[in-house]
Amino acid sequence: MDYWYHRISHCSEVSYPLFDMDYLTFGLSEMALQYPKIVTENFSKTELRLMLEYTYRDRHTKKLFEKCKGVLKARTVPPISSFFNFIYEFKVGDKVMVPSYPENEYFVICEILEKVDLIKNLPIKNFADTKGNEITLEDDLLRRNYREFIDLGFFVKVKKLTKPIDGVLKGLLAKSGSLNKVGDQIEEFIQKNPI
């Protein structure tokens, strides 16, 4: 079993309602569309980096762009290690610390229940985002009000183990990654703050 830290601030108006329904998410919807075997086959970090760059690079300007269903805008590609960890390192039984957004004033610890999957396989087809907009799953993408796509391409089913806990480890939690070095503290948080 491993311990992880994972932010869900990307598309937070959708990722937090999904977390309330026990799903952790990750972006890169275009990767999920172009490489559906990414969750069933193993690729190296180098291969993932090349796939990311190929998927999001504009051939004329050599800049990375987000282009999906007619939308084109500059984007920052996430650190490859975060993507690699989410897709290949998260295992059933691992524990994940998820901070609140945007304040990071508290966090919740949850356990991974299933393998990571493509967003097109999300069992929830209709729900509302944090602003009350209708979110639907259509054409293998999440969409707001049936039009605007949401850049979430991957999800994993989780079970919350704690109630919200004050942000005790803020200094350690600069980015998504392994928390194995503080696994004992995480277990202590779980024991002291059960749901």
Side-chain angles (χ1 to χ4, degrees):
M1 172 181 53
D2 288 311
Y3 300 91
W4 301 97
Y5 175 74
H6 181 68
R7 292 179 190 224
I8 54 171
S9 54
H10 182 66
C11 297
S12 61
E13 69 284 356
V14 176
S15 60
Y16 275 94
L18 284 170
F19 185 57
D20 289 342
M21 294 180 269
D22 297 327
Y23 294 98
L24 277 181
T25 55
F26 198 92
L28 301 175
S29 58
E30 191 68 21
M31 286 287 287
L33 288 172
Q34 287 192 30
Y35 303 103
K37 291 184 180 180
I38 201 165
V39 294
T40 57
E41 297 179 10
N42 288 325
F43 295 93
S44 69
K45 286 184 182 179
T46 301
E47 290 169 323
L48 284 180
R49 167 64 65 198
L50 292 172
M51 291 160 68
L52 273 168
E53 288 178 358
Y54 179 78
T55 300
Y56 293 101
R57 185 167 306 280
D58 179 277
R59 303 292 176 255
H60 304 291
T61 64
K62 298 191 186 296
K63 291 184 179 179
L64 295 179
F65 285 90
E66 180 176 278
K67 186 175 185 179
C68 188
K69 305 290 183 184
V71 175
L72 178 68
K73 61 183 178 180
R75 75 164 292 142
T76 302
V77 174
I80 198 64
S81 59
S82 297
F83 186 47
F84 185 87
N85 290 343
F86 190 86
I87 299 294
Y88 299 123
E89 299 293 327
F90 281 20
K91 304 283 188 260
V92 173
D94 286 359
K95 297 191 178 148
V96 183
M97 182 180 291
V98 181
S100 66
Y101 177 79
E103 301 87 11
N104 292 331
E105 291 181 1
Y106 68 85
F107 58 87
V108 172
I109 299 170
C110 55
E111 179 180 352
I112 296 174
L113 298 180
E114 299 173 0
K115 289 180 64 175
V116 170
D117 205 347
L118 303 170
I119 206 74
K120 72 178 186 176
N121 298 321
L122 185 70
I124 301 165
K125 306 300 181 204
N126 296 292
F127 61 98
D129 69 10
T130 57
K131 297 177 181 175
N133 295 306
E134 185 174 9
I135 304 298
T136 56
L137 185 58
E138 295 184 32
D139 301 325
D140 299 335
L141 291 171
L142 290 174
R143 295 182 176 278
R144 181 179 290 112
N145 297 326
Y146 300 98
R147 297 182 314 275
E148 179 187 349
F149 87 95
I150 308 298
D151 186 30
L152 294 174
F154 304 89
F155 76 94
V156 66
K157 177 78 171 157
V158 297
K159 175 176 85 173
K160 293 179 189 75
L161 301 175
T162 66
K163 59 187 177 187
I165 304 168
D166 276 341
V168 179
L169 298 175
K170 284 184 196 176
L172 292 172
L173 308 177
K175 60 180 181 165
S176 296
S178 174
L179 289 180
N180 286 338
K181 65 184 175 186
V182 292
D184 291 342
Q185 285 177 282
I186 292 172
E187 289 297 333
E188 190 176 311
F189 288 139
I190 293 168
Q191 294 300 315
K192 289 182 178 178
N193 302 282
I195 289 183

